[in-house]
Amino acid sequence: MHDRRETKSLRLLMGNEAIALGAMRAGLRLAAGYPGTPSTEILETVAKNNHGSIHVEWSINEKAALEVAAGAAYSGARALVTMKQMGLNVAADPLMSLAYVGVKGGLVVVAADDPGPISSQTEQDTRHFAQFAKLPVFDPVSPEEAYLMIADAFAASEKYGLPVLLRPTTRVCHGCASIELLPDLLVPQPEGFVRDPGKWVIFPRLSYRNHLKLEADLPLIGAELSALPYNRIEGNDKAGRGVALSGISYAYAREIPDLDDMRILKIGTPHPFPERLARQFLDGLDEVLVLEELDPVVERALLQLAGQYHLPVKIHGKLSNNTQNAGENSVESIRADLDRFLGRAAPAAALLDDRPALPERPPVLCPGCPHRASFLAVKQAARGKKAVFCGDIGCYTLGNTLPLDMVDTCLCMGAGVTVAQGVERINPHTLSFAFIGDSTFFASGITGVANAVYNQSEMILIVLDNATTAMTGHQPHPGTGRNMMGQNAAPLRIEKILRALGVDFVEQADSLDLPAAVDTVKRAIAASGVRCVIFESPCVMMDKTAGKKYAVSAACTGCDACIKLLGCPALIRKAEAAFIEPALCKGCGLCAGICPQKAILEVQADE
Amino acid sequence: MNKNCLICGVGGQGVVLASRLIAFAAMDTGLFARTAETIGMAQRGGSVASHVRIGAHVYSPLIPKGEADLILALEPGEAVRALPYLKPDGLIVVSSKAMRPVSAAVAGGYTGQKMLDYLKRRIADLIIVDTEAICRQAGSQQTANIALLGAAAASKRLGLSLEQIEQALRDHTRQQFFATNHKALRLGADTILKGEHGYEDA
């Protein structure tokens, strides 16, 4: 979208854009990450606004991204790493050690949390991860605060010589706000890498020494962070009651008109905890309600303080079962929490009991998606055989929806290929299939294939190669050949990688040619060992040109085979026959191929 | 001026663009704007909603329930789903075109008519826009979102004029689609200006 006419320096920025521009303003030299909702747009914004002074890359996965950034930060440059919360699990190895080794240039790791969860497998809390790794973490309340915070996060990282985490949540990442852009900060040029084996080479003795230092430093850092404007006390204490708010929960609570009748503690840096400020907040209060998303991080810190200093204050929150232990907060949930805390009656909700039953709309594969054809090909080839279908992370997780119903397991990035191996060991007479997309294959599928070949597994790997990272919005990856610096690299060929890994049976097919695709899978079933079928067909969302369209002819008998086999959003039943929504049809022709009456025909696209 | 506007529909209908255009138009008139958008997994044919909040002293990116001045719904069932957000005297601008969910296509049923009937019964301020006809006239199936924006602006309940939305459309969307979008915007506005589809004002 263009934004030519926004007044002066005031711009409508999405939280992720604000984080990117805030980092660039703070002298960013290198940005690396792996796509993951809700974090993806940060790196894309850096790439879009980069004039060449910043190296930007989609790394192969989060671990690689953090290590690349560490190298830059060792050399004195400011580096940014972006990922979704679970990406931090993948990057945990370098992160835990980096806390001991430290950095020279500022290193900020953005791990976007997803309360709800809205598009994630877990509701893990990065603030907890920061405590575990013994690193500072910032928790922004809004896009505009995130814009300012990231500059302070870089400054803190450099000052304390530690990586610093920024933990925005989905509503901060994907919310937009009017933000005033500020002038660039003056940041010195990186010194370059200075050889110092006593600093950059981790050994047990160094780890011990640095661990001691880290433990000694954290309370001091917490005291300094107390003074940042993101941590503050507001409101009036009228009745000995207070409310502590972390991250976006502060924004929700601010919608409550009489919030200022309580003492308010706003926390922007949950770890190391701003203890001095928190003690000042607790002083004289009888009861405190803690409102935060996901884990009771602030609640535990306040409980600890109350215990440590024998403060006569009762802390209400998740641990006392006063607030919800999972899911995201909202103005409504916080209003209800406060009403209970203050012992006042909840306002009556508007009655909508007479509403007709709402249509359920689980996310589904797009019309024309080649994954639908791939799942159908495997389903038809394996018909009548006992089989387990191990899925993975990407659009193709949606192969679980009816009528396809082709995903039996889904765990984490790259797990399908390895879970399939374990399933086969215990169920030897069952065909063990794994599905993996191209980007996931590069991120964490290759090691799983090596494991299968080395340990002589019996399995069939179906690679769904749509030439992009589709679910997160079409990011390039090593198989596409394009990188974030706009360069063309030689595309890594999945087929060659599989052969190099020792897979003998590797066949490619176009799943939209259904009969040929079914035959290919049947050959794979008949073979033994690790077999791979690569279905190559580009993501239908990347081809925006109006192509072919199909329509249902008078020959349709209304048998509904197309609707019931494919679950394509473009196919609906109208009166006595099937109907294809012209606005939705992408012309893949899969329905035409499976129609028993051959009643679906290609027509001229009208736009 | 404080305005809360919720735009809802099904993934792929252009909900995000509609919400951004309202926010851009508000900012161009010097107002503070905040939005919350649905991006990611839920986009794939799922229910999506964008919240736009205009004016000072707006903190939550999501509109609190019962505080939306208007709801722009690209699908009748999605309008009914969003009802808890509507103010008691709020306005709904809804497309008459139903999007059948895949589950319903597989199982049969759902046309959206029940939803429209319910809205007509329960909502005093309701504008039903025949987006199918407008898209046909505008020459693109993808302009229902812009048509609703036109109707919303013409209703004067958005707090932004048709001209301001038009300017945002000119400034913030691709030039090559402007003529088509502009036509859809005007046709959507005509729904009210010419009373073509019966603005059922209380």
Side-chain angles (χ1 to χ4, degrees), chain A residues 356-379:
Chain A
L358 293 166
E360 277 183 49
R361 297 191 196 273
V364 288
L365 294 171
C366 301
C369 176
H371 296 334
R372 178 177 291 106
S374 302
F375 283 120
L376 190 67
V378 176
K379 194 176 197 173

Side-chain angles (χ1 to χ4, degrees), chain A residues 555-567:
Chain A
C556 175
T557 60
C559 75
D560 282 351
C562 54
I563 292 170
K564 289 185 170 153
L565 271 175
L566 302 179

Side-chain angles (χ1 to χ4, degrees), chain A residues 1-7 10-12 14 37 41 118-119 142-144 171 174-178 248 251-252 254-255 328 331-332 335 351-352 354-364 366 395 397-398 402-403 470-473 563-564 567-569 571-574 581-584 606-607, chain B residues 10 16-17 20 23-24 27-28 31-42 44-47 53 57-65 67 75 77-78 80-85 97-103 105-106 110 114-115 118 121-122 132 139-142 167 170-175:
Chain A
M1 216 173 299
H2 304 262
D3 32 26
R4 282 193 299 272
R5 212 174 144 272
E6 285 161 87
T7 29
L10 202 65
R11 294 193 39 198
L12 184 73
M14 188 194 268
T37 311
E41 297 83 4
I118 297 168
S119 11
S142 62
E144 55 270 38
R171 301 296 181 191
H174 286 168
C176 295
S178 314
I248 198 166
Y252 295 142
R254 267 276 158 236
E255 295 284 337
E328 66 172 335
V331 174
E332 291 76 32
R335 185 180 285 135
L351 287 175
L352 292 163
D354 58 339
R355 275 197 292 184
L358 293 166
E360 277 183 49
R361 297 191 196 273
V364 288
C366 301
C395 287
T397 315
L398 301 177
L402 289 173
M471 183 56 109
T472 46
I563 292 170
K564 289 185 170 153
C568 172
L571 273 166
I572 57 170
R573 182 73 189 270
K574 253 192 187 175
E581 285 280 0
L584 295 179
D606 63 350
E607 57 168 285
Chain B
V10 176
V16 170
L17 177 65
R20 294 274 181 103
F24 282 136
M27 280 183 67
D28 289 345
L31 297 164
F32 182 89
R34 199 183 277 294
T35 76
E37 298 163 359
T38 316
I39 293 170
M41 192 156 188
R44 307 276 184 255
S47 297
R53 311 195 66 198
H57 311 299
V58 165
Y59 302 94
S60 164
L62 299 169
I63 300 167
K65 286 191 177 142
E67 293 187 25
E75 206 279 337
E78 295 312 306
V80 176
R81 197 189 307 277
L83 274 182
Y85 287 97
K97 183 166 167 63
M99 298 288 284
R100 237 168 286 197
V102 172
S103 54
V106 173
Y110 188 71
K114 257 189 198 162
M115 302 293 165
Y118 177 78
R121 207 164 59 238
R122 285 295 298 262
E132 219 169 1
S140 164
Q141 305 275 0
Q142 314 295 335
Q167 193 60 45
R170 199 185 308 279
D171 292 341
H172 302 287
T173 59
R174 293 222 179 117
Q175 183 104 45

Side-chain angles (χ1 to χ4, degrees), chain A residues 333 363 450 587:
Chain A
S333 77

Side-chain angles (χ1 to χ4, degrees), chain B residues 3-6 68-72 86 91 93 152 155 157-158:
Chain B
K3 281 281 172 198
N4 292 323
C5 178
L6 188 141
D69 295 285
L70 67 165
I71 291 177
L72 305 192
L86 193 67
L91 166 73
V93 181
S155 79
R157 297 283 286 274
L158 188 56

Side-chain angles (χ1 to χ4, degrees), chain B residues 141-155:
Chain B
Q141 305 275 0
Q142 314 295 335
T143 52
N145 54 348
I146 307 295
L148 289 197
L149 269 185
S155 79

Side-chain angles (χ1 to χ4, degrees), chain A residues 366-369 512 540 543 545-551 568 570 580-592 600-603 605:
Chain A
C366 301
C369 176
L512 290 172
V540 69
D543 184 14
T545 57
K548 292 190 285 188
K549 297 241 184 238
Y550 285 81
C568 172
I580 297 174
E581 285 280 0
L584 295 179
C585 179
K586 294 278 191 240
C588 73
L590 191 62
C591 54
I600 301 177
L601 306 169
E602 194 183 330
V603 291

